[in-house]
Structure formats: structure tokens, C-alpha cells
Amino acid sequence: MKSFVNVNPKSLDEAVAVLDRARAQGKKAALAGGGSDLLGMLKDHLVQPDLVVNLKSISGLEGVHREGERVRIGALTTLDEIARHPLLVERYAALAQAAGLAASPQIRNVGTLGGNVNQRPWCHYFRQGFPCFKNGGKMCYAVAGENQFHALFGGGPAFIVHPSDTAPALVALEAEFKVMGPSGAKIIPAEKYFILPREDVLRENVLGENEILAEVILPAAPSGLRSTYLKIRDRQAWDHAIVSIGAALEWEGGRCRKARLVLGGVAPIPWRVPNAERLLEGKSLGEALARQVAEAALAGAQPLAKNGYKVPLAKATVRRAVLSLLPAA
Amino acid sequence: MGFETTRRDFIRNTGWGIASAAAVSGLDIHGPLLRAEPIEVPSVAPTSRIRLTVNQRPYALGVEDRWTLAEVLRDHLGLTGTKVACDRGECGACTVLLEGRAVYACSYLAVWADGKEVLTVEGLAQGEQLDPLQEAFIEHDGPQCGFCTSGQLMAARALLNQVPEPTPPQVREGLAGNLCRCSNYNRYVEAVLAAAGKEGRHGK
Ligand SMILES: Cc1cc2nc3c(=O)[nH]c(=O)nc-3n(C[C@@H](O)[C@@H](O)[C@H](O)COP(=O)(O)OP(=O)(O)OC[C@H]3O[C@@H](n4cnc5c(N)ncnc54)[C@H](O)[C@@H]3O)c2cc1C
Ligand code: FES
Ligand code: FES
């Protein structure tokens, strides 16, 4: 790893000031939550910052807090805490399940929510330092290469998939992200946070160089809300999703009042499927409708040469997820 | 440094890690090392002074900001029981307990552990008395080549501290972050269950 200075800011404002100053001086700074993603990037020289800003030194950025009917989760809260937190397990199951299915116990002990949604892509070309779009180059090696794990939707010019398990769950639960920058805090809906490569191929989200994700806010969980996160992977630990789904359905009198279905592992951002959601709304759910929903969710998929298998896999995942959310009789 | 210089010579000659030097000269590393004065770091790379408690012994150290906890434990404190295989958070060989929780020491900077408590495999036994997990690992032939073993032990220790009487699925989940290239997973799971049973009876 190239050498760098580790900075331990005591507050968010101080951290933002460090980023701002670094930028003004033409220095590169990298934020560190738990560092489980960042350290690999540093060791492989994919980022070579002059400063590493250790967010763990800021107190008050972790924990799950109730605020009226809403829930605020500090960006430094670990995945392990989220996976076990009784309030989240009960009311926001999709998020707790997603956190619990990420990586391995050791990574969940240090890995933070902020780091999870901001982790960089895990495309093997990118991680191995190929001069691809994501590394500042001029091509996506997956297009004609090994693209088993790449995008079905929203690809181009890069075909990465968004790697975060918590992100599809957060979009399904209509979370909001509180971002701190030099001019204070702003709130961004989770769905608007992530951006496609065609918007900016070097980034996966709207976060600016001198901004920090401070908090994730979950809205009140209406009565009748049921949610889940299903993840399909090659092995039961360490693997990112081949396909996944964050699903949140609201029920009223046996009918679905509102549906949010967000696929993971299939696109460069958490991929909402509004056509499939609309099929559910106002209906009571059975096997036949679940199949239609799954078909609608994958309509328009554009597989590459080697990832076509993801289409039936994702359909089955959608079907299973919505059926698992049937309201208690 | 010429090509023929070994890593150990390099470490000794540059005055890094008293531990390595002590090991070479046959000193008991648990003797003079303990209350080591801050190491002066003869380097241009940015450094920090940190305090670590490792296996209940306090250390004050000078470390490069970029050093991982695994590097400091192994290369500078001589605690080579912690292994490094992948160095990327993908195998678990480097598992240690940080404030009681299992973490990958290869993927955590030593500066971030300032003021914290670390337990490595060297700290499991109490003198000659092995940890029940170590005994069970021996009885059940857990280690084959043994390279993953200290990581498996530490992951298992963290699990039993949290869940003293785990079910088999809980043990498998607790060890899910530790690869064994000899593929002796079933024995490890058996051993952890056996140790948990014994600890339960003896009220450890
Ligand atoms: C072997 C392995 C397997 C993995 N498997 C999975 C998996 O199955 N599912 C999954 O979701 N992830 C997986 N991961 C990624 C894992 O790193 C994340 O799950 C973890 O949550 C990252 O959190 P962190 O705090 O350690 O991130 P860090 O490494 O600290 O940060 C990650 C990125 O986010 C940025 N960042 C961190 N915090 C903030 C913040 N508050 N505001 C703005 N930017 C920030 C950092 O600058 C960095 O670029 C895996 C990683 C490894 C090494
Ligand atoms: S050496 Fe740390 S996880 Fe493999
Ligand atoms: S005993 Fe050889 S790797 Fe596990």
C-alpha cells in the first residue's frame, strides 16, 4: 500500500473541513468506515489517497435511534448491529436481513452501513486493475469478456452491478440518506442517491468529493407493511448477490395497497421494477399473479453473452419473495 | 537492501519490531517486549503513536499509518500465530478479537485499533492450561495443515463468548468467515460443539 496520513476527525464538520481542504490543496482523500472495502482498494492501488479520513473517530455517528415513528441509523452502525436490532428485525425486516446476509461475520462486525452503500463495484476487471471505464480507462472488458456476474439492465458504458446488499432493501423501504457537505446537510431519497454509469462512469452515486453520508432515515412503517430481502449467491458466505431482491408490500384487507420491488445484482444501481409493482397493487396475491409479477420484473432484460442464467434465477427470486410476504391470514 | 537480505535481517537492521530482533537473539518475547517504549520509526512514511492492549499486555507503539493490525501483530510484536493468507478479507486466517469481536486483522489498520483491546491465538491458553476450544480442536483432529487453525479458533472463541451453547447451524454460521483449504470443516464444527458442551458443564 502507498503511504498516507490517517486523520481522526472528532466531528462531522471537522471531517467535511478536512475533505474540503484536501480538495483545495489538490490532495486526494478517502473516507474510511470499517475499511473492509477500502483496504483492498488501497492494497491493489485502485485508490491512492494522501489522506485517509477515519470516520470511526467521530462519536455519535453510530446506532439505531427511534425518532417518533421514524428510525435514524448512523452511517457508522455496523452491519452486525443492524442485522440483530430488534426494531429493524421486526419492522424493517428487508434491511436487517440484507445486512445479515452480507459478506461474513468478521466483515459484518466492522463493515458499516455507510460503507456498504458506498462500496465500490466488485467487477473482477475493475478490482484487478484493468484500465476499464471505472478505473478511468476507455472500455468495459466485461462486454466481450467474462460477464457472468454483470448487468442485465442499465448497463453501458460500464456493465457493473451495484454490489451492496443493503441498498436494494433501503430503496424498497423508501429510506432517505442524510448527506453532510460544506454547506450543511441535505436529504436525498435512497432511490435518487445511486446513478447509472451513463450519468457518470466514475461514480456509483451522487456523493460529492467533499460530502459524507451521515445517516440513513427510515420512514414510519405503516401497519400492514411486510418486507424481505432474498439473496442468491454461489456459496453461503462472502459472496455478493448474483441476484437479490428487496421487497416491501403493504397490505390492507387481504389486498396489496402498495408494492416496492427492487432488484440487486442485475444493474449498476438498485433496480426498481415499477411495472411489476403496479401488477400487485390493489390485488390479492396467489401463485399465478406472483408469476406474472416475476415476468414483468424481468421484461426488457438485456443479457450479455454469459449472464442469461440470471433471468430465470431473478424471476424465481421475485416470485419467492412476493409469495413470502403474503399477509397473515 | 540487497536481494540476498532476508526479511528478518531487514527488520532487524532497520530497528523495526523489537519482537523480531528478540526472537532472533533467543530472548523471551514476552519478557522485555512488554512495556516496550514507543518505537522510533525511521521512515518518511506517515506514522502515529498508538496504545494497544494485546493479550492483556499493554503496548505503546509507533506505527506507519498504513500498517494493518495483522502486520503489527506479526512483524512488529512477533505474534505470528495470527496468519495472513489472502490479505483481502477473504479467508479468515488472520481473525483476531478486537474488543471481543472477531475481525480480519489483515483488513483493519493498526492506527484504528488505538486504545483498543486485542486477543490473538497466543492469548487463548492460560499458562499451560489450553482453552477448551484448543483442547477440543486437538481431540477432534481439527487442524490438518493447520494454517487456518488460529483463525478458526478465534472465530469460534468470539462465537462462544456471544452464544455459549450454539446449535450446529449457529456454529457453521459463526465459522462461515473462515476457509479451510484442507476442508476439515466438519471436524471444526464438531470440536466447537464439544467445547461448548464442556464449557457449559464447567461453567467457564
Ligand atoms: C470478501 C468480501 C466479501 C464481501 N461480501 C459482501 C456482500 O456479500 N455483500 C455486501 O453488501 N458487501 C460485501 N462486501 C463489501 C463490504 O466491504 C461491505 O459489505 C461493508 O459493509 C463495507 O463497509 P465498511 O464500513 O467496511 O466500508 P469501507 O471500506 O470503510 O468503505 C467503503 C467505501 O465507502 C466509502 N465510505 C465509507 N463510509 C462512508 C460514508 N459514511 N460516507 C461516504 N462514503 C463512505 C469509502 O470511502 C469506501 O470507498 C464484501 C467485502 C469483502 C472484502
Ligand atoms: S488473511 Fe485476512 S482474511 Fe485472509
Ligand atoms: S487445516 Fe489446512 S487449511 Fe485448514
Side-chain angles (χ1 to χ4, degrees):
Chain A
M1 222 183 286
K2 226 187 99 227
S3 65
F4 51 77
V5 176
N6 176 72
V7 188
N8 293 318
K10 289 284 161 278
S11 67
L12 259 182
D13 288 342
E14 189 187 333
V16 170
V18 169
L19 295 182
D20 227 21
R21 214 171 331 129
R23 204 171 65 148
Q25 296 173 4
K27 294 226 159 53
K28 279 182 274 178
L31 296 172
S36 62
D37 171 22
L38 182 66
L39 253 71
M41 298 276 300
L42 291 169
K43 289 173 186 175
D44 293 327
H45 300 263
L46 298 179
V47 283
Q48 305 203 349
D50 304 293
L51 303 174
V52 167
V53 181
N54 175 24
L55 298 174
K56 290 179 291 301
S57 60
I58 304 175
S59 61
L61 267 190
E62 58 193 14
V64 178
H65 312 281
R66 267 180 105 135
E67 192 184 75
E69 285 300 301
R70 306 192 309 167
V71 176
R72 294 170 29 229
I73 308 176
L76 269 280
T77 312
T78 63
L79 297 178
D80 186 68
E81 182 175 350
I82 290 169
R84 293 170 194 274
H85 197 282
L87 178 66
L88 300 180
V89 169
E90 192 200 314
R91 299 237 196 130
Y92 304 94
L95 176 60
Q97 291 167 6
L101 288 169
S104 68
Q106 287 92 328
I107 290 177
R108 294 195 293 275
N109 280 340
V110 297
T112 65
L113 184 60
N116 192 266
V117 299
N118 287 295
Q119 62 181 291
R120 299 303 316 280
W122 287 82
C123 164
H124 39 265
Y125 293 111
F126 169 62
R127 292 276 165 167
Q128 284 173 29
F130 280 67
C132 67
F133 283 118
K134 286 284 170 192
N135 276 324
K138 286 276 168 279
M139 70 181 278
C140 172
Y141 290 82
V143 174
E146 297 303 316
N147 50 37
Q148 288 88 333
F149 300 114
H150 291 78
L152 297 175
F153 295 102
F159 285 80
I160 60 131
V161 295
H162 201 279
S164 165
D165 279 316
T166 60
L170 291 170
V171 175
L173 293 168
E174 304 192 276
E176 293 177 324
F177 290 177
K178 181 172 162 190
V179 168
M180 282 294 286
S183 47
K186 61 184 173 192
I187 302 284
I188 303 171
E191 195 178 349
K192 298 257 154 40
Y193 187 77
F194 302 98
I195 57 175
L196 286 169
R198 71 174 73 102
E199 284 178 61
D200 182 348
V201 79
L202 292 174
R203 300 191 294 169
E204 292 79 45
N205 55 56
V206 296
L207 200 72
E209 265 177 40
N210 48 6
E211 292 181 327
I212 300 172
L213 176 62
E215 200 169 82
V216 169
I217 302 159
L218 295 169
S223 68
L225 174 72
R226 301 195 66 199
S227 71
T228 191
Y229 184 75
L230 282 191
K231 175 177 181 182
I232 309 297
R233 47 188 168 168
D234 268 345
R235 50 179 185 179
Q236 290 308 307
W238 272 307
D239 260 2
H240 285 93
I242 294 174
V243 302
S244 69
I245 181 171
L249 305 186
E250 283 173 43
W251 299 95
E252 194 176 338
R255 286 174 192 279
C256 177
R257 184 172 51 204
K258 182 169 159 190
R260 302 265 297 184
L261 303 177
V262 185
L263 303 180
V266 300
I269 55 173
W271 193 254
R272 232 188 119 183
V273 286
N275 289 339
E277 293 171 358
R278 270 195 294 278
L279 280 181
L280 277 166
E281 286 170 357
K283 309 249 180 57
S284 55
L285 178 63
E287 179 72 36
L289 180 57
R291 280 182 194 282
Q292 286 171 27
V293 169
E295 289 298 325
L298 272 294
Q302 295 184 302
L304 300 160
K306 299 181 179 178
N307 67 356
Y309 74 99
K310 282 190 179 189
V311 174
L313 203 56
K315 284 183 190 170
T317 310
V318 173
R319 186 170 51 82
R320 271 174 48 201
V322 295
L323 286 173
S324 78
L325 293 177
L326 267 170
Chain B
M1 180 172 64
F3 287 119
E4 70 286 356
T5 311
T6 65
R7 178 171 175 73
R8 179 156 285 174
D9 287 340
F10 173 68
I11 289 168
R12 185 170 41 182
N13 293 339
T14 49
W16 290 127
I18 308 168
S20 307
V24 169
S25 60
L27 291 175
D28 171 12
I29 59 164
H30 289 308
L33 226 193
L34 302 185
R35 283 160 298 280
E37 286 301 301
I39 297 171
E40 287 306 324
V41 180
S43 163
V44 291
T47 59
S48 299
R49 291 181 188 282
I50 61 166
R51 289 177 182 279
L52 275 187
T53 303
V54 184
N55 302 333
Q56 299 180 346
R57 296 161 194 271
Y59 295 87
L61 303 164
V63 299
E64 286 190 23
D65 288 8
R66 64 178 159 176
W67 285 349
T68 64
L69 182 56
E71 285 177 272
V72 167
L73 292 171
R74 288 179 49 84
D75 302 346
H76 306 284
L77 300 184
L79 296 170
T80 53
T82 301
K83 302 300 178 198
V84 174
C86 71
D87 202 22
R88 290 293 183 285
E90 289 174 5
C91 77
C94 64
T95 303
V96 300
L97 304 200
L98 180 68
E99 300 281 288
R101 329 218 57 193
V103 305
Y104 296 140
C106 75
S107 296
Y108 201 83
L109 292 182
V111 278
W112 298 341
D114 184 22
K116 297 202 156 92
E117 198 159 314
V118 180
L119 182 72
T120 72
V121 71
E122 289 88 347
L124 275 186
Q126 306 293 323
E128 291 298 297
Q129 181 61 47
L130 294 182
D131 186 282
L133 277 165
Q134 290 172 307
E135 279 173 352
F137 272 40
I138 295 168
E139 265 166 43
H140 291 259
D141 276 336
Q144 295 298 303
C145 80
F147 204 81
C148 71
T149 305
S150 42
Q152 306 276 3
L153 279 168
M154 300 317 289
R157 189 68 267 162
L159 172 71
L160 294 193
N161 290 349
Q162 216 172 14
V163 187
E165 290 177 50
T167 60
Q170 282 175 319
V171 173
R172 282 194 286 274
E173 174 56 31
L175 298 184
N178 294 74
L179 290 183
C180 173
R181 285 292 81 164
C182 303
S183 206
N184 217 24
Y185 296 104
N186 290 342
R187 294 292 179 87
Y188 280 130
V189 171
E190 276 170 27
V192 175
L193 287 166
K198 276 198 192 138
E199 285 186 16
R201 276 200 298 284
H202 300 321
K204 190 188 158 136

